[in-house]
Amino acid sequence: MNTKTRIYGLCLGAALLAATAGSLAIAEEKDEVEVKVALPVEQVIACVRAAVAAKPGNVRGVEAESEKGRVLCEVEIVAADGALYEVSVEVATGKVVEIEAEDGE
């Protein structure tokens, strides 16, 4: 499956999520209290696109969290060689801030 097909599939999935939930709710830990934050689907898609552009592969999962006063989208990507990476994208700017190789889980 090529990158365009994967992105379109992801967009379709995000559109279905938007239709059912309106936004992706994420949990932010602050002094052991979870605070819900709404993240628009458009921002999730933009973060996934940035992550896949930086580290091509298939998306395995997406998480959003607050870290050091900024909201990050962490995209798990499985590369063509089977290696697993976590690509962190700053939601506000759409910039990749970290690419980390993960141990296979």
Side-chain angles (χ1 to χ4, degrees):
M1 182 174 357
N2 65 32
T3 303
K4 255 187 177 176
T5 303
R6 281 182 270 156
I7 290 175
Y8 290 137
L10 184 61
C11 289
L12 177 60
L16 291 172
L17 177 65
T20 58
S23 65
L24 176 64
I26 61 173
E28 174 185 340
E29 285 194 28
K30 185 175 183 178
D31 299 326
E32 298 181 34
V33 175
E34 283 191 356
V35 179
K36 295 288 184 178
V37 178
L39 188 60
V41 172
E42 294 82 9
Q43 286 182 317
V44 175
I45 293 169
C47 289
V48 169
R49 284 185 176 150
V52 171
K55 182 54 77 176
N58 292 318
V59 175
R60 181 174 126 174
V62 179
E63 262 184 28
E65 67 180 31
S66 179
E67 183 177 296
K68 298 179 184 175
R70 60 186 181 178
V71 178
L72 299 177
C73 220
E74 295 178 346
V75 182
E76 285 187 359
I77 295 176
V78 180
D81 64 357
L84 180 62
Y85 295 90
E86 182 178 275
V87 181
S88 296
V89 180
E90 185 173 17
V91 174
T93 64
K95 302 238 185 249
V96 173
V97 295
E98 183 179 20
I99 299 175
E100 181 179 348
E102 297 284 304
D103 294 331
E105 295 177 1

